[in-house]
């Protein structure tokens, strides 16, 4: 039974009299500026580094803003995903921890309204009825794994929390900090404490509690509110601690300890309406500490960044042209703290600039970042903690010896900062609709990167170091057999040996006797002579990711139900980005911006669903593209358009032609009559008019003479253009016909025509030769599966094939020479 079904069952028996918790009027507008439950946390935690233990207590004030009561509370315990190898998380992708690296959380007490409810504590498995989703073979067969996931628990209340009421919940817990492999935990002295406390799920009224167990492919979902967090750590962390919101206090304690206090949002932020007249709140709290951190501080200033470059100024004017001259576009100033490790300190400014670019462009398009502070974290090397977003704090990730052209750390920094908008401010359910934040963010970060940094420079890594350029063709490979023969990878699994003494120890295994060597790879490739420079547009890189799995699953489905991790990644990130960018091509830049901004403003600090997005976009854009949302987001429809052209001159007239009086006459006879008329008017020489007439009946010899004549150069051409679609995703398709005389014309193959037939033939009589036909000439659509057949040219490029052939032969010449000498 799902949590929603269970809650519906319990609601039938609820009594609303003598409630356990104090009944309150719904909070005033300034206290609850959003249409949803409010949850405020006060957390105190102490970290013991010698044992990796965390002891914590929290006071939670939760306001039920729905129209339904609830007699239970559901909580997440995310760290229990790392407690054993039979959790939902581990079984979906294999355990990631070694024996000494496990982590867990254990609740010690829970009280509600001063009443101990720990006796009703129980773990729940809302997504499967078990920990894994595996069903039993039959009713008599028990689920062995059913009780091994401990990432969700619930407690029952003697009296319900009524609509508009606030429950005060006290929880104490202890935890073992896991090794940071899944973007939370420790590595040496480095700490990233994410999803680290018992966290309430989201009560959705008649639908019950939305509180999923922790899946390998999912992230998080929680209500908005505020946090006051007090942390007690060893004093070597003093001055090296960052957290969501702002640091409001720091003091030494007990001689060798330090205590810090964070408020999220800051107290001033809680009373400052944002540009949409809403009061800021957050829906999570994360903190980090490392004695090695170097702290660099900066400030994002609207006055500076709105004039930063031509790209920044041009986009401002473009947005103003769409939203109107009176639109409020100015963004608030934001303090930026970069916590970076000393070996990468030289990149601190680049982390800030990437953050500032995200704050500027995202804010310009979707409304300002409403908080006074943001923290950028450069995780410890090898920590497995990079590239993750949390309210007002995110982790980036970088490499040594890079430039902005490499997009390191620019790409991940822009992306994770962008999550402050898509996930932070618009708080969709990341379990059920991961694409609403990941895909929206992937679309937007590529738009930021191309404007702020231009195209990305391709590079090849040798021993972790980047060399500018990429191979023009892939290296030869032999698959599993080739890897085995080269002793590069040996994998075996002899199930029949299992259970036999001693032999079961070697029944399965995986070894790499000859591991790759960056130095040898560099020697083999000779990169200065064989690599070629490549500059790529990140928007087209989204398309490459989309094509990896473009028709396996629809975009809109629960994240843990995608076929596999590649499908989850393609649909949640790349395919959504491609679908949004194509949507912009369908409706135009102005309607697209208005639709997206309207959605972002309407659901700021709320929990929108896919249907909410579809409706808000249509309303804001002023168009109805429901058909597109259905086809692009809720189906696996794909499209591949192509064009082919044939053309020939209109043949010169030969033979017999019927005239107005019904007689058949040859073309020369007709021309003679026309010449006589012209001669009488003085328009042509008499010699032409005196041409010898031809008989009135067909004459085979005369026809043969005419057929031998050449077609004059000025004769028009007959052009046949055939458009074809493969796939069911039908969009209005513009195409451009280019003529030899320098003119061109644009036409449209309408969606209605494509729905009626898979092809269209266009026939044109043209005095000028057609030199090219190009589908989607403005490159507005990114969904086409094969763009190599989207254009036709009368004359091909003869130089490019030779240039590519030279590059391939050069690479393989070096490779064969290496194999045949020392490398062999």
């Amino acid at each position: 039974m799902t949590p929603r079904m269970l809650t519906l069952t319990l609601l039938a028996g609820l009594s609303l009299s003598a409630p356990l918790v104090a009944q309150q009027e719904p909070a005033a507008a300034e206290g609850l500026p959003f249409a949803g439950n409010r949850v405020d946390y006060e957390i105190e935690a102490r970290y013991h580094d010698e044992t990796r233990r965390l002891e914590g207590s929290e006071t939670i004030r939760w306001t039920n803003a729905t129209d339904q009561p609830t007699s239970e509370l559901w909580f997440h315990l995310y760290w229990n995903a790392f407690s054993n190898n039979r959790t939902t998380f581990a079984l979906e992708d294999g355990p990631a921890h070694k024996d000494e690296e496990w982590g867990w959380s254990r609740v010690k007490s829970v009280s509600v309204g001063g009443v101990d409810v720990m006796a009703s504590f129980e773990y729940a498995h809302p997504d499967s009825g078990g920990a894994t989703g595996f069903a039993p073979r039959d009713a008599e067969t028990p689920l062995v794994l059913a009780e091994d996931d401990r990432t969700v628990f619930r407690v029952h209340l003697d009296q319900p929390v009524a609509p508009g009421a606030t429950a005060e919940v006290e929880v104490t817990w202890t935890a073992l900090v896991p090794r940071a492999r899944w973007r939370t935990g420790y590595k040496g002295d480095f700490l990233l404490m994410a999803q680290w406390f018992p966290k309430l799920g989201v009560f959705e009224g008649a639908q019950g509690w939305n509180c999923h167990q922790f899946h390998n492919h999912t992230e998080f979902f929680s209500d908005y509110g505020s946090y006051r967090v007090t942390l007690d750590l060893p004093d070597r962390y003093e001055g090296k601690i960052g957290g969501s919101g702002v640091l409001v206090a720091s003091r030494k304690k007990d001689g060798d300890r330090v205590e810090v206090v964070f408020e999220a949002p800051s107290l001033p932020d809680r009373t400052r309406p944002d540009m949409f007249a809403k009061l800021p709140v957050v829906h999570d709290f994360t903190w980090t500490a490392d004695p090695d951190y170097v702290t660099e501080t900066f400030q994002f200033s609207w006055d500076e960044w709105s004039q930063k470059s031509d790209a920044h100024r041009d986009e401002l004017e473009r947005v103003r042209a769409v939203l109107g001259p009176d639109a409020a576009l100015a963004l608030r100033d934001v303090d930026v703290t970069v916590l970076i490790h000393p070996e990468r300190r030289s990149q601190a400014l680049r982390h800030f600039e990437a953050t500032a670019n995200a704050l500027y462009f995202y804010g310009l398009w979707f409304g300002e970042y409403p908080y006074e502070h943001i923290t950028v974290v450069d995780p410890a090397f090898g920590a497995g903690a990079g590239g993750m977003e949390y309210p007002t704090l995110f982790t980036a990730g970088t490499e040594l010896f890079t430039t902005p052209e490499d997009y390191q750390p620019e790409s991940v920094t822009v992306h994770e900062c962008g999550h402050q908008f898509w996930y932070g401010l618009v708080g969709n359910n990341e379990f059920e609709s991961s694409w609403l934040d990941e895909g929206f963010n992937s679309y937007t970060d590529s738009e930021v990167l191309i404007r702020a940094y231009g195209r990305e420079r391709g590079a090849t890594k040798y021993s972790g170091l980047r060399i500018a350029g990429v191979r023009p063709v892939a290296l030869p490979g032999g698959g599993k057999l080739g890897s085995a023969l080269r002793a590069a990878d040996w994998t075996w699994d002899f199930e029949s040996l299992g259970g036999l003494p001693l032999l079961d120890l070697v029944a399965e295994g995986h070894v790499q006797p000859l591991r790759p060597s960056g130095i040898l790879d560099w020697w083999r490739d000779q990169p200065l002579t064989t690599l070629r420079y490549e500059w790529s547009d990140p928007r087209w890189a989204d398309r490459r990711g989309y094509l990896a799995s473009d028709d396996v699953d629809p975009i809109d489905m629960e994240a843990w139900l995608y076929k596999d991790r590649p499908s989850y990644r393609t649909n949640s990130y790349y395919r959504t980005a491609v679908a949004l960018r194509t949507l912009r091509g369908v409706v135009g830049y102005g309607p697209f911006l208005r639709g997206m901004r309207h959605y972002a403003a309407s659901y700021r600090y709320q929990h929108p669903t896919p249907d909410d997005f579809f409706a808000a976009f249509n309303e804001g854009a002023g168009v109805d593209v429901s058909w597109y949302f259905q086809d692009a987001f809720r189906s696996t429809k794909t499209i591949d358009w192509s064009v082919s052209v044939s053309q020939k001159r209109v043949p010169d007239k030969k033979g017999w032609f019927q005239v107005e009086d019904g007689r058949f006459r040859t073309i020369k006879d007709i021309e003679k009559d026309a010449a006589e008329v012209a001669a009488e008017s003085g328009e042509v020489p008499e010699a032409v008019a005196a041409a010898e007439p031809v008989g009135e009946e067909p004459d085979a010899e005369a026809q043969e003479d005419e057929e031998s004549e050449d077609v004059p150069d000025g004769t028009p051409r007959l052009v046949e253009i055939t458009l074809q679609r493969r796939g069911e995703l039908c969009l209005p398709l513009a195409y451009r016909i280019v003529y030899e005389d320098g003119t061109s014309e644009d036409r449209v193959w309408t969606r209605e025509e494509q729905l009626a037939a898979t092809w269209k033939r266009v026939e044109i009589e043209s005095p000028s030769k057609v030199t090219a036909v190009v589908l989607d000439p403005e490159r507005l659509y990114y969904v086409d599966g094969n763009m190599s057949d989207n254009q036709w040219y009368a004359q091909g490029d003869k130089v490019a094939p030779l240039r590519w052939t030279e590059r391939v032969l050069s690479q393989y010449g070096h490779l064969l020479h290496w194999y045949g000498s020392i490398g062999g």
Side-chain angles (χ1 to χ4, degrees), residues 8-164:
L8 289 173
T9 303
L10 293 172
L11 288 176
L14 289 180
S15 169
L16 301 183
S17 61
L20 174 67
V21 294
Q23 303 297 302
Q24 299 177 357
E25 294 297 322
E30 61 268 33
L32 187 63
F34 52 92
N37 306 322
R38 183 183 179 101
V39 59
D40 299 296
Y41 289 83
E42 290 188 15
I43 305 175
E44 295 184 0
R46 181 182 178 95
Y47 175 62
H48 304 274
D49 58 340
E50 65 278 3
T51 60
R52 294 180 14 236
R53 293 295 182 93
L54 189 75
E55 301 288 340
S57 64
E58 60 185 8
T59 299
I60 307 170
R61 282 175 290 277
W62 176 72
T63 300
N64 178 8
T66 75
D67 60 358
Q68 297 289 326
T70 178
S71 62
E72 57 186 8
L73 300 176
W74 287 62
F75 293 79
H76 294 281
L77 284 178
Y78 288 107
W79 277 8
N80 280 343
F82 314 122
S83 62
N84 61 65
N85 64 347
R86 288 188 171 189
T87 68
T88 300
F89 189 99
L91 288 168
E92 286 177 345
D93 202 45
H97 293 82
K98 300 176 182 178
D99 287 344
E100 69 276 9
E101 296 177 347
W102 303 108
W104 45 258
S105 294
R106 181 173 64 86
V107 174
K108 297 163 65 176
S109 68
V110 182
S111 64
V112 181
V115 177
D116 187 352
V117 295
M118 194 63 188
S120 67
F121 178 100
E122 61 178 336
Y123 291 107
H125 309 109
D127 300 329
S128 61
T132 67
F134 290 95
R137 185 181 65 184
D138 50 55
E140 289 73 31
T141 303
L143 278 172
V144 175
L145 302 177
E147 300 301 325
D148 289 323
D149 187 273
R150 295 289 187 268
T151 57
V152 174
F153 76 89
R154 64 181 175 226
V155 293
H156 297 272
L157 311 178
D158 292 337
Q159 299 296 331
V161 183

Side-chain angles (χ1 to χ4, degrees), residues 514-824:
L514 298 179
R515 295 179 177 271
S517 167
I519 296 176
L520 287 179
D521 290 347
W522 182 89
W523 187 6
R524 176 198 64 206
D525 289 353
Q526 294 295 302
L528 296 180
T529 58
T530 62
L531 299 187
R532 64 174 180 86
Y533 283 109
E534 178 185 76
W535 300 88
S536 59
D537 187 324
R539 297 169 296 187
W540 291 100
D542 290 337
R543 177 177 174 270
R544 289 198 300 270
Y546 152 72
L547 292 177
S549 183
D550 61 346
D551 61 355
V552 174
D553 290 309
I555 291 174
D556 185 21
M557 62 187 299
E558 288 87 345
W560 70 92
L561 295 181
Y562 289 115
K563 176 179 177 290
D564 48 31
R565 190 167 186 84
S567 179
Y568 157 75
R569 187 161 186 82
T570 294
N571 285 285
S572 295
Y573 292 78
Y574 305 119
R575 189 176 174 199
T576 302
V578 165
L580 289 174
R581 196 163 286 117
T582 300
L583 173 61
R584 187 182 66 187
V586 171
V587 303
Y589 177 84
F592 179 80
L593 177 62
R594 288 192 293 269
M596 295 293 287
R597 189 178 179 91
H598 180 66
Y599 165 66
S602 299
Y603 289 97
R604 178 167 283 209
Y605 316 128
Q606 295 188 39
H607 300 314
T609 66
D611 286 331
D612 292 329
F613 164 62
F614 300 152
F617 182 92
N618 284 339
E619 182 179 16
V623 297
D624 185 356
V625 285
S626 300
W627 59 269
Y628 180 83
F629 293 133
Q630 184 64 36
D631 286 354
F633 291 89
R634 286 180 165 163
S635 79
T636 57
K637 293 180 179 179
T638 59
I639 189 63
D640 175 19
W641 290 295
S642 64
V643 59
S644 60
V645 178
S646 66
Q647 58 182 333
K648 58 185 178 181
R649 289 187 184 277
V650 175
D652 196 17
K653 288 185 176 181
K654 297 179 181 181
W656 293 77
F657 296 84
Q658 193 169 20
V659 294
E660 292 181 358
D661 62 4
R663 293 181 300 161
F664 277 92
R665 307 187 69 184
T666 67
I667 186 60
K668 287 188 175 181
D669 200 9
I670 296 171
E671 290 175 347
K672 175 179 175 296
D673 290 346
E676 290 175 350
V677 173
E680 293 175 358
S681 62
E683 295 180 0
V684 296
E686 290 291 332
V688 176
E692 183 179 351
V694 181
E696 295 184 0
E697 297 300 325
D699 184 274
E701 185 176 348
Q703 286 189 344
E704 290 174 1
D705 289 341
E706 289 180 3
E707 289 173 357
S708 66
E709 296 176 5
D710 293 332
V711 177
D713 289 340
T715 305
R717 286 172 168 77
L718 296 179
V719 182
E720 287 189 358
I721 302 172
T722 303
L723 311 176
Q724 188 171 358
R725 67 167 175 86
R726 297 177 180 85
E728 299 177 327
L729 182 59
C730 298
L731 309 177
L733 179 66
Y735 61 97
R736 178 170 297 158
I737 306 171
V738 182
Y739 298 96
E740 193 173 41
D741 61 9
T743 62
S744 65
E745 61 173 314
D746 290 344
R747 300 189 178 192
V748 176
W749 187 15
T750 68
R751 179 171 181 266
E752 290 71 24
E753 289 175 319
Q754 292 181 56
L755 289 171
T758 62
W759 62 274
K760 177 181 180 178
R761 180 168 294 127
V762 180
E763 298 176 326
I764 303 171
E765 182 178 313
S766 170
S768 180
K769 179 181 179 180
V770 172
T771 59
V773 179
V774 181
L775 305 184
D776 187 23
E778 303 302 326
R779 288 292 185 262
L780 299 177
Y781 297 162
Y782 290 69
V783 292
D784 195 306
N786 177 13
M787 289 188 171
S788 66
D789 54 8
N790 280 24
Q791 49 278 314
W792 173 92
Y793 295 99
Q795 185 172 358
D797 185 345
K798 297 180 180 180
V799 176
L802 295 175
R803 186 166 58 244
W804 277 98
T805 299
E806 183 274 332
R807 290 173 176 173
V808 172
L809 292 178
S810 176
Q811 175 183 317
Y812 271 92
H814 281 283
L815 184 64
L816 293 174
H817 179 75
W818 189 82
Y819 282 151
S821 57
I822 300 175

Side-chain angles (χ1 to χ4, degrees), residues 452-468:
Y453 299 101
R455 293 184 297 168
E456 178 183 9
R457 181 178 65 183
T460 303
K461 288 185 179 181
Y462 298 96
S463 295
L465 299 179
R466 287 174 172 260
I467 300 294

